[in-house]
Amino acid sequence: MSLPNLQIACDHSDLPTALADITKVGDVVDIIEAGTILMLQVGEYAVKCFRALYPDKKIVADTKCADAGGTVAKNCSEAGANWMTCICSATIPTMIAAAKEIEEIQVELYGDWTYENAQQWLDAGITQAIYHQSRDALFAGETWGEKDLKRVKKLIDMGMKVSVTGGLSVETLKLFEGIDVHTFITGRGITAASDPKKAALDFKAEIKRIWG
Ligand code: 5RP
Ligand code: MG
C-alpha cells in the first residue's frame, strides 16, 4: 500500500486570498487544487499563478466539467493544470474528449452513479475518481461512515485510483486505515485553520503514521 498524497483545495472566492494561503502550504502538500469556487471566479488566472509559484507540483483544475470536455481541458492544460475533474454525469464522449487534451481526468462522484458507470470509465481509460461528500450534504448533517468506506474499497478493487474529500479533518483519516486511498483532498481543514502550515503538516504526519 503506498502513502496517500495530500492535496489542498483552494476554494477561495478571490485570487489574492487563495495565493496568500497557498504560499503558506504549497511546499508541504503534494498536489494543489484550484477549487471549483475559485475556478468559477478566476479559473485560468488561478491555475497560471499556481503553476508559476510551483513549477514542479501537480496542479488540478476542479472544473467538475459536464460538457465541452475537449475545450475546457485544453484551456486548463494550457494554463498549467495536470489534471482536471469531470462530473460523473458527464457523458463518456465528454470525458474522452477531455482526456485527449490534458494529462489525466478525475471523475467527481456526486449523486447517482453505479459500478457499471465506473467500469465504463475504466474501459475508456479513465482511472481516477474522487469520492466526495458534498459540502452541502455535510452542512445538512451527513457524516463519513461504513457506506462510504465500502464504496471507496469497491472502486479501488475495480482498479480505480480513488481520492477522498469533503469536510476532512486529521481525525477523519483513521477511518480509512487499511484502504489504499490515492489522495486525501482537504480545503477548509487547512485553509480555515488558524495556522494553515501546521494543519498541513498535521495531515501529512497522520498519513505517515497510518500508511507509512
Ligand atoms: C467541493 C470541493 C472541495 O474542494 C472539497 O470538498 C474539499 O473541500 P473541504 O475540505 O473544504 O470540504 O470540491 O465540491
Ligand atoms: Mg474541489
Side-chain angles (χ1 to χ4, degrees):
M1 204 169 290
S2 47
L3 205 62
N5 297 298
L6 177 64
Q7 176 172 328
I8 182 172
C10 292
D11 283 304
H12 304 72
S13 292
D14 64 83
L15 192 50
T17 56
L19 293 177
D21 275 347
I22 203 62
T23 48
K24 288 177 197 146
V25 302
D27 289 328
V28 178
V29 300
D30 304 295
I31 303 171
I32 297 172
E33 171 190 325
T36 309
I37 296 170
L38 190 63
M39 288 303 296
L40 288 169
Q41 295 290 94
V42 290
E44 144 180 44
Y45 303 104
V47 175
K48 282 181 174 165
C49 289
F50 290 175
R51 176 53 70 214
L53 285 167
Y54 297 100
D56 301 322
K57 293 264 168 175
K58 287 263 183 255
I59 293 180
V60 181
D62 189 7
T63 50
K64 296 187 174 67
C65 182
D67 200 1
T71 305
V72 175
K74 186 167 187 288
N75 292 343
C76 289
S77 179
E78 283 176 359
N82 302 94
W83 301 343
M84 178 192 114
T85 64
C86 282
I87 197 75
C88 57
S89 53
T91 63
I92 296 288
T94 291
M95 293 186 193
I96 290 175
K100 282 192 184 133
E101 300 292 341
I102 196 161
E103 272 173 44
E104 279 192 55
I105 294 299
Q106 299 178 295
V107 182
E108 284 264 8
L109 304 175
Y110 273 98
D112 297 327
W113 56 272
T114 63
Y115 297 117
E116 201 176 31
N117 295 141
Q119 192 55 56
Q120 287 167 348
W121 304 326
L122 283 165
D123 293 345
I126 292 155
T127 57
Q128 287 208 57
I130 302 179
Y131 188 90
H132 218 122
Q133 287 267 24
S134 91
R135 69 164 60 196
D136 295 330
L138 290 162
F139 283 141
E142 276 273 335
T143 52
W144 286 98
E146 196 51 43
K147 66 177 189 328
D148 304 302
L149 303 182
K150 266 194 194 157
R151 290 180 199 152
V152 169
K153 276 189 222 160
K154 168 87 178 168
L155 288 166
I156 294 170
D157 288 347
M158 289 177 74
M160 297 216 87
K161 286 181 269 178
V162 181
S163 299
V164 165
T165 190
L168 294 181
S169 64
V170 171
E171 292 69 42
T172 327
L173 301 190
K174 56 180 167 305
L175 272 178
F176 296 90
E177 185 157 9
I179 304 178
D180 200 6
V181 172
H182 180 256
T183 299
F184 287 104
I185 306 172
T186 178
R188 291 159 295 171
I190 294 176
T191 58
S194 54
D195 183 344
K197 182 164 186 181
K198 181 180 179 306
L201 288 167
D202 289 348
F203 271 101
K204 287 288 276 189
E206 183 68 348
I207 289 172
K208 201 163 177 203
R209 184 187 74 76
I210 299 173
W211 283 272

